Every structure is written in C-alpha cells, then in structure tokens.
Amino acid sequence: MTTKGKITVIGLGAMGVTLAKLLLQAGYTVTVWNRSADKAKELVEAGVVLAESAAAAIAASPVTVICVYDYKATVAILHTPEVEAVLEGRTLLQLTTISPAEARSSLEWATVNGAGYVNGAIQAAPSQMGRPDTPILVSGNKQVLQSVYSLLEVFGGGISNLGENIAAAPTVDLATLSYIYGSSIGFFHGARVMEAEGLPVNEFGDIVAGITPTFGEFLKYEGNKIHTNDYTIGESPLRISVEATARIEQAAIEAGINTEFPALAASLLRRADAAGYGSEEIAAVMKVLRAS
Ligand code: NAP
C-alpha cells in the first residue's frame, strides 16, 4: 500500500477507532493515542503505531485528529506542558463535538502554541463514515483547512466548508442537532400514537424516511423565509399548524398517552397565533422564538 503521509489520531472511542481505520485503509501512516491503551489493540495488529503519550503521538505527525468525548477531555489531554512543547508548526483537526465558545478558546490556545487549528463536526454515526455522502461540517482558517481537506475526504465526501469563523461548524452542529432531537422526539411521540391505536410501529420508520426528502424541501423554503424576514404565505399558513398541533395534543389526551411533545408544539404555535401571525407563513413562529 502506498503511504500518503503521517497522521495521528487521539481518542479511540467508537468514532476515533473508525477514523483511524479509514486512514489506515486510505494508505496513511497512522499513530494513535488513547487514555486507555487497550482500545488500540486491534488497530496495532492492523499496522497502526501506538504512541506512549499524547505528546509523542502529536510529535509523530504533522497533522493530529482529535476525537474524544467532549471539550473537557480535549483539555485534559492537550493542555499540558508536554503537548504544548511539541505543537509548534503542527495542525490540529478537532472532531470532538464542542461548543462555539470552546472552539474559540481552542483556536486561541492553539495559536498561542504555534499550531494551526480547524474545527469539524461529524454529522453521522461510525458505521456511516467514509461514504461519498457522509456529512461533515468544518470551519477555520482557509490555508489550514486546505491542508487537511484530503484527510477529511477520507472520513466522508459530504463536506460543508462553513468558512473562516472557527465557531461556525460547532454552531451549525448545535442547529442540526436541535433539528434531529426535535424531529426524533416527534418521531417517538408519533410511534406512541400508532402504538396506542394498535398499529404496527415497525413500518413508521419507512414512512418517515419516504417523506423526509419532501420535508427537507419544505424546510429549505422556510429557512429562506426566515433569512429574508418575509412571512407572506407561500406554502403553509401558520393557522393550519395551530389547529394541527392542537389536534395532536387533544388526541393524546383522549388516548391517555404522554402529551409533552404536542403540548410544547401547540403552545408555541398558539402564542404565534395570539401575536397576530396566523395569516402568515408558518416560519413566522420564529418571531415568537426571537421575542423570548
Ligand atoms: P466514546 O466511544 O464515548 O469515546 C470517548 C473517547 O473519549 C474515548 O477515547 C475516551 O477514552 C475519551 N475520553 C473521555 N473522557 C476522557 C478524559 N477525561 N480524558 C481523556 N480521554 C477521555 O465516544 P465517540 O462515540 O467515539 O465520540 C467521540 C466524539 O465524536 C464525541 O464528541 C461525539 O459527540 C462525536 N461524535 C460521535 C458520533 C457517534 O455516533 N459515535 C457521531 C458524531 C459525532 P477512554 O477510552 O480511555 O475512555
């Protein structure tokens, strides 16, 4: 196998192991370090080098990928005199899920220590990594980003470069996770609705997957409405959703099932209606969110 270059991966949880494997398969010389060394066993058998310390791992390659549990773990591993002593001239690609403020602090710390730093946010599960469409958000300095781009492509072809603002990737990550958790909880409520009516829930996922592309189009439209702050009705009047969410809440009460999710949705839409936005596009609910 041809060698493409040296890369270090710090963190061998479910995601870090996957990243290291993908890099090895792509022909990189991979060095790893993990707090619990036993997690490297399988990788070492496959040809990866296990470094004795985080500092030694970083010193082994021009670029280090970090993928640990959270920012606290990142700081525990990296903010040590030993690591700071080897950072000059190296590049760090942060793939741990961190907050926008933590990304800004990380960039500041890396810059003080002479290292390039870019922030990514993985939008897929380990088994979905390395595909042509695996979504990865990334932001940071243009030149630094350019230097890690081919490496990112090993992790997934669906790269969204969000520009030079280091906090952009973690911010969009928060936004996409808000969407995912909101829709997941809606999905679970929907499953409960079906279950309560004695309908088979195993078909529900297929039905939702089928409507998702159409729904994605709808959300793109609503996003543009918010961006332009123009809530003239184009697709879906807010009032329809006031009634729909009230109906879902009422049906949950009648079925004797949990009402928390429809109560939240119905309450937001009722407030938008009361504020006079009923005859506007549904995206006008944004005006209620902005006011609180
Ligand atoms: P994981 O399996 O829970 O692994 C956590 C990793 O962090 C392990 O390497 C662990 O080391 C290390 N760690 C935790 N606390 C530490 C500390 N105080 N000091 C040093 N090391 C510490 O997590 P994962 O699934 O690989 O996820 C890693 C990152 O990827 C997370 O930020 C996650 O949000 C992000 N991500 C994951 C997924 C996913 O589906 N898994 C998807 C998208 C993004 P030990 O082995 O020693 O415990």
Side-chain angles (χ1 to χ4, degrees):
M1 192 181 287
T2 53
T3 296
K4 285 195 178 154
K6 294 177 173 180
I7 301 291
T8 289
V9 177
I10 290 194
L12 297 178
M15 190 56 87
V17 165
T18 304
L19 302 180
K21 276 186 190 162
L22 285 169
L23 290 168
L24 193 67
Q25 282 162 16
Y28 287 90
T29 299
V30 183
T31 299
V32 297
W33 182 84
N34 191 54
R35 180 180 61 176
S36 316
D38 58 303
K39 300 249 181 86
K41 196 168 175 285
E42 198 192 321
L43 287 169
V44 169
E45 282 164 12
V48 159
V49 176
L50 172 64
E52 283 188 356
S53 65
I58 292 169
S61 312
V63 177
T64 292
V65 177
I66 307 134
C67 189
V68 289
Y69 189 67
D70 59 5
Y71 180 67
K72 218 171 135 195
T74 300
V75 169
I77 296 166
L78 299 183
H79 293 216
T80 69
E82 294 76 19
V83 165
E84 288 168 359
V86 298
L87 279 180
E88 183 74 41
R90 300 186 194 280
T91 297
L92 302 174
L93 168 60
Q94 173 64 283
L95 291 180
T96 307
T97 305
I98 63 174
S99 76
E102 290 164 351
R104 280 189 282 271
S105 301
S106 297
L107 174 63
E108 207 180 305
W109 166 83
T111 307
V112 164
N113 288 287
Y117 177 90
V118 284
N119 219 113
I122 295 170
Q123 307 284 287
S127 66
Q128 298 169 318
M129 296 304 292
R131 297 180 186 169
D133 61 348
T134 302
I136 302 172
L137 311 173
V138 67
S139 55
N141 175 275
K142 210 171 170 180
Q143 281 76 34
V144 182
L145 202 48
Q146 194 56 43
S147 72
V148 298
Y149 213 81
S150 53
L151 169 66
L152 273 169
E153 282 175 325
V154 172
F155 300 149
I159 301 167
S160 295
N161 179 352
L162 301 169
E164 301 227 37
N165 174 1
I166 197 70
T171 302
V172 176
D173 187 50
L174 282 179
T176 56
L177 286 177
S178 300
Y179 166 68
I180 297 296
Y181 283 114
S183 50
S184 297
I185 291 168
F187 179 85
F188 301 139
H189 181 81
R192 193 70 191 98
V193 168
M194 287 180 65
E195 197 174 64
E197 279 290 330
L199 295 173
V201 175
N202 60 346
E203 288 168 13
F204 186 36
D206 286 341
I207 293 166
V208 169
I211 64 173
T212 295
T214 315
F215 200 68
E217 285 285 303
F218 170 72
L219 292 178
K220 265 171 83 170
Y221 179 84
E222 298 302 318
N224 283 326
K225 288 299 245 183
I226 295 163
H227 183 69
T228 56
N229 225 10
D230 169 10
Y231 302 102
T232 319
I233 294 175
E235 288 284 2
S236 184
L238 188 137
R239 186 157 290 128
I240 291 177
S241 294
V242 175
E243 282 160 25
T245 50
R247 194 166 57 243
I248 302 167
E249 186 180 17
Q250 184 56 34
I253 293 166
E254 285 163 15
I257 63 173
N258 183 289
T259 57
E260 286 169 88
F261 167 73
L264 171 67
S267 150
L268 279 171
L269 284 152
R270 247 193 319 267
R271 278 165 59 199
D273 196 26
Y277 311 138
S279 300
E280 297 186 15
E281 181 71 15
I282 183 176
V285 80
M286 195 67 183
K287 292 192 262 186
V288 172
L289 296 181
R290 283 181 185 141
S292 47

